Amino acid sequence: MAQPSASQAPASSPRHVAIIMDGNGRWAKQRGRPRTFGHAEGVEALRRTVEAAGELGVQYLTVFGFSTENWRRPAEEVSALFDLLRLYVARDLDKLVNEGVRVRVIGERKGLQPDIAEIIENAEAKSRQNDKLNLIIAFNYGGQDEIARAARRLVADVAAGKIRTEDINPDTFGAYLDTAGWPPPDLLIRTSNEYRLSNFMLWQAAYTELVFTDTLWPDFDKRALESAIAEYNKRERRFGGTEPVAS
Ligand code: IPE
Ligand code: IPE
Ligand code: MG
């Protein structure tokens, strides 16, 4: 019997796919180009992936764009990454809005340049009526930072008498996270042959299926997404129980 081709649509798509888009620097290095060239090509991969996620019926796509630890990079690289966010939104926002994509950004907003904060708010406001695909961009995001910020707000609410200490549990705590109200990722993909979370979705990934690929992010495309989803569809999710749970 013929092998199904990798481009065939998988049986079903996970509701929430999260991606650690890694390997831009190495991709550029292989070509003797500066790291920023890899980041620019990474934006093209992001555009392809958003399109593909919509076509495959994914409802939430979370992408890691800039971590709270990425400030350790040279200032020129940090500045290039911020410029690419500006460029991506300027170039694609209208198209995303027309295609039914709702854009949200998670991460620490304080300390971002005012124009970046404005761009983010505008993208969220302009797309808020959409619900075909939720594109969640993690920018200046760190899982530990997110949990610490949530704890700070929670403590303030306890002090204000809005929530009782004994009512704090994973559900009520989750409502203080940047991802409040969204389902956790079903599938998390990390590209570039690295096997770690790098502070991404620490709380939310408790029962996420992890798929690692050696594809460098600028080479990622619909076929790569389909192949990760096919791998996901082979997994048995038990959530601590003994029987597989349909997801
Ligand atoms: C991922 O590519 C993009 C960001 C972290 C912003 P890298 O820049 O980390 O590329 P490598 O890992 O050095 O190849
Ligand atoms: C994770 O990649 C951050 C993003 C993809 C935005 P890194 O390249 O920063 O992760 P480490 O440093 O290799 O763990
Ligand atoms: Mg990296």
Side-chain angles (χ1 to χ4, degrees):
M1 207 174 80
Q3 288 289 315
S5 90
S7 66
Q8 240 169 11
S12 66
S13 289
R15 183 146 74 127
H16 186 169
V17 175
I19 308 183
I20 302 177
M21 311 183 287
D22 199 11
N24 296 349
R26 278 161 285 166
W27 186 91
K29 194 173 177 196
Q30 285 173 358
R31 288 158 180 78
R33 304 291 299 266
R35 294 177 57 81
T36 48
F37 178 66
H39 295 317
E41 279 302 309
V43 173
E44 298 309 315
L46 173 63
R47 301 174 91 190
R48 287 195 293 273
T49 305
V50 172
E51 191 85 27
E55 288 165 7
L56 294 169
V58 170
Q59 289 172 37
Y60 295 83
L61 175 69
T62 302
V63 292
F64 203 4
F66 188 84
S67 78
T68 45
E69 287 71 37
N70 287 149
W71 291 103
R72 293 180 187 148
R73 297 183 178 207
E76 314 81 73
E77 184 174 344
V78 170
S79 146
L81 288 165
F82 279 73
D83 281 347
L84 285 171
L85 177 69
R86 291 184 177 96
L87 185 78
Y88 175 64
V89 175
R91 224 168 35 157
D92 283 26
L93 183 61
D94 286 346
K95 184 170 171 276
L96 292 170
V97 170
N98 288 335
E99 288 172 354
V101 177
R102 181 164 184 180
V103 181
R104 336 255 201 140
V105 178
I106 57 171
E108 173 61 284
R109 303 260 173 115
K110 262 188 243 138
L112 293 179
Q113 286 152 304
D115 81 296
I116 292 274
E118 221 172 275
I119 284 169
I120 292 173
E121 279 157 29
N122 178 53
E124 291 184 331
K126 265 196 161 167
S127 65
R128 75 163 10 110
Q129 74 286 355
N130 287 343
D131 62 2
K132 181 172 175 268
L133 168 67
N134 289 278
L135 170 61
I136 300 157
I137 304 173
F139 200 83
N140 199 22
Y141 174 88
Q144 292 178 338
D145 178 70
E146 178 192 32
I147 292 167
R149 285 187 287 105
R152 224 181 286 151
R153 288 203 303 274
L154 176 58
V155 167
D157 278 0
V158 170
K162 291 184 188 160
I163 179 167
R164 296 181 309 170
T165 309
E166 55 271 36
D167 291 333
I168 300 173
N169 58 47
D171 284 340
T172 55
F173 190 87
Y176 285 83
L177 294 169
D178 296 348
T179 53
W182 306 335
D186 300 293
L187 163 64
L188 187 151
I189 303 166
R190 184 169 189 151
T191 58
S192 85
N193 207 24
E194 303 288 357
Y195 299 80
R196 54 180 171 267
L197 290 177
S198 300
N199 205 7
F200 188 48
M201 302 249 121
L202 296 184
W203 175 281
Q204 297 84 349
Y207 270 100
T208 299
E209 294 298 327
L210 310 177
V211 169
F212 299 96
T213 160
D214 54 14
T215 302
L216 300 175
W217 177 250
D219 290 327
F220 202 84
D221 58 9
K222 185 175 186 185
R223 185 177 270 262
L225 180 61
E226 284 175 332
S227 126
I229 292 175
E231 169 76 35
Y232 167 86
N233 281 325
K234 286 190 224 149
R235 304 277 176 91
E236 213 177 76
R237 303 182 77 187
R238 286 187 291 273
F239 297 93
T242 56
E243 298 305 319
V245 175
S247 53

